[in-house]
Amino acid sequence: MHHLPYWRLSGFYFFYFAFTGAFAPYWSLYLKSLAMSAFQIGALMSLLPVMRTFASAVWGVLADRSGQRMKIVRWSALLSLLSFCGVFLGDGFWWLFVVMGAMGFFWSASLPLVEAATMSHLGEHIGGYGRIRLWGSVGFILAVVGVGYVLDVMQITVLLWLVLGGKIGIAYFCQRIPESASSAHHADHLPVWHILRRPEVAALLIACFLMALAHGPYYTFFSIYLVDHGYSKSTVGWLWALGVICEIAIFIWLPRLLHYFSLRQILLFSFACAVLRFLLIGWGVKSVTLIVLAQVLHAATFGSYHVAAVAVVHRFFQGRHQTKGQALYGSLSFGAGGMLGAFLGGAAWDGVGSQWVFSACSLAALLGMILIWRKLRLEAEPHAAALA
């Protein structure tokens, strides 16, 4: 732990999620300002999850085989930055389709590979993950609130420059993170399929897919949904920030939570909160109180869920399969699940109505919770003191 490059890892998370805080809530508003339809917005917003679905697995395999995880991260971050600069050269649907597709392809490498590097640096002290990852939440809050205020007084095109700043920060810190060696494991000689065919592993990955599927319409249309119901852009920013503030609290309290609850229990609670959250968003948008409560639940539907999922994946995929495990988690959940959720949400938004779209999100979370409850069985977990 004394060799942990805390601030370099934290700096990466800060700018990665500052970029997300500027992009995810507001990019759809920029696309709407270009007179694009809900279907076109959903298609473009699904491109990043599409690339996470396919490219993340490629990057993970390449990193594990080459043993040069951070070299791949550094080059992919630079190429993602250069790709994004294409948004300044045109604003047509097909041009942005190509630009966002290229940016997403290279962007998809950084998070799963850095997650694997972070876990390698932490070793058995996974409780320290929250203290690093919380800086990503801080970056998200500063971006989502700041951009909301900026967009209340400036033209939406300023968003392009704000997002560019996040991309520059990601590229800089990717150059600073040192390589970390993966420890040998007794199952290194076995193919990754040997791990994937285990029922508990398949159940976890499918449940994570369903959780991301449930969040797809939320990340794509939540800002538009609120603005259409009379919320100002700055209020939208604060509502996004509220969820992430609660998420930070979970990251800080994670070591203590691990003393009292198993990773399986944390996952079950997180999925149950997601069931409630999307019903509140869908049917309670006219009540500020209910929307605030829904955002507080983000502490569970992303915060505790993500930490527990990353930790369980780290336990299932060890040794030379470590990076592939995190890449598969990212590609199947945030990638495939987020992609399908955004695409289906865009296709159904104008037809069936926003309330029923969010109700379907709640159903997806319920199915994931049932899978975790019935299929996910973990061996005895390490003592909490070691995890923290």
Side-chain angles (χ1 to χ4, degrees):
M1 286 287 286
H2 60 283
H3 294 303
L4 180 68
Y6 178 84
W7 287 111
R8 283 173 280 182
L9 290 168
S10 299
F12 165 81
Y13 284 109
F14 179 92
F15 278 102
Y16 184 92
F17 287 99
F19 158 77
T20 305
F23 187 89
Y26 300 113
W27 196 254
S28 58
L29 296 177
Y30 169 67
L31 297 176
K32 187 178 181 181
S33 75
L34 301 177
M36 292 190 183
S37 66
F39 180 82
Q40 289 177 314
I41 292 172
L44 289 174
M45 294 298 287
S46 70
L47 279 173
L48 266 63
V50 165
M51 291 304 169
R52 290 186 75 166
T53 302
F54 301 105
S56 291
V58 173
W59 294 121
V61 171
L62 183 60
D64 278 339
R65 287 185 176 178
S66 68
Q68 296 183 315
R69 189 160 45 197
M70 292 313 303
K71 185 175 182 179
I72 293 172
V73 168
R74 291 170 190 135
W75 277 105
S76 63
L78 286 173
L79 291 171
S80 180
L81 168 61
L82 292 175
S83 298
F84 177 77
C85 291
V87 301
F88 295 98
L89 304 178
D91 58 11
F93 173 78
W94 288 111
W95 174 254
L96 289 179
F97 190 92
V98 172
V99 169
M100 291 177 64
M103 181 196 75
F105 177 79
F106 295 112
W107 172 79
S108 65
S110 56
L111 186 61
L113 271 60
V114 173
E115 293 272 52
T118 301
M119 285 299 187
S120 292
H121 282 297
L122 287 169
E124 291 299 319
H125 302 273
I126 64 170
Y129 174 84
R131 291 188 287 270
I132 296 171
R133 176 58 180 78
L134 69 84
W135 286 104
S137 303
V138 171
F140 185 95
I141 290 171
L142 293 178
V144 78
V145 173
V147 171
Y149 277 110
V150 169
L151 295 183
D152 270 342
V153 298
M154 299 184 71
Q155 294 292 323
I156 191 70
T157 50
V158 74
L159 180 64
L160 279 62
W161 295 98
L162 298 174
V163 172
L164 178 65
K167 300 294 291 183
I168 292 172
I170 293 171
Y172 172 77
F173 276 97
C174 283
Q175 312 306 312
R176 305 282 296 166
I177 300 173
E179 189 63 80
S180 60
S182 297
S183 57
H185 190 259
H186 64 82
D188 276 354
H189 66 287
L190 297 173
V192 71
W193 176 248
H194 180 79
I195 301 171
L196 288 171
R197 70 183 181 183
R198 293 166 56 186
E200 63 272 26
V201 177
L204 173 70
L205 293 176
I206 294 171
C208 291
F209 167 85
L210 289 168
M211 182 67 108
L213 176 73
H215 281 76
Y218 167 77
Y219 285 124
T220 304
F221 292 105
F222 186 60
S223 296
I224 293 174
Y225 181 60
L226 293 180
V227 170
D228 286 347
H229 283 83
Y231 292 76
S232 68
K233 294 184 181 68
S234 55
T235 300
V236 171
W238 275 111
L239 285 169
W240 279 90
L242 172 63
V244 184
I245 289 170
C246 297
E247 173 188 306
I248 290 176
I250 287 293
F251 289 148
I252 293 174
W253 282 86
L254 176 65
R256 182 167 295 186
L257 291 174
L258 289 171
H259 279 277
Y260 300 102
F261 303 102
S262 69
L263 294 172
R264 180 176 179 272
Q265 289 172 326
I266 291 173
L267 284 171
L268 283 171
F269 176 75
S270 301
F271 275 87
C273 288
V275 174
L276 174 60
R277 183 186 188 195
F278 292 118
L279 289 176
L280 291 175
I281 293 174
W283 300 98
V285 67
K286 295 182 180 179
S287 169
V288 175
T289 301
L290 292 181
I291 291 298
V292 166
L293 175 59
Q295 289 305 91
V296 169
L297 291 176
H298 185 75
T301 69
F302 179 79
S304 60
Y305 154 75
H306 178 64
V307 172
V310 167
V312 175
V313 168
H314 184 64
R315 291 183 61 191
F316 285 152
F317 296 85
Q318 298 187 22
R320 72 182 182 92
H321 298 307
Q322 185 184 72
T323 307
K324 285 192 286 288
Q326 296 298 339
L328 282 168
Y329 162 66
S331 64
L332 293 175
S333 59
F334 300 111
M339 168 193 67
L340 191 60
F343 185 79
L344 292 179
W349 192 261
D350 293 329
V352 303
S354 53
Q355 288 87 353
W356 291 107
V357 169
F358 284 116
S359 296
C361 295
S362 180
L363 176 61
L366 176 62
L367 294 175
M369 183 180 72
I370 293 172
L371 260 181
I372 295 293
W373 174 55
R374 297 197 61 179
K375 297 295 185 180
L376 183 63
R377 295 291 183 269
L378 299 175
E379 299 173 1
E381 296 182 14
H383 192 273
L387 293 173

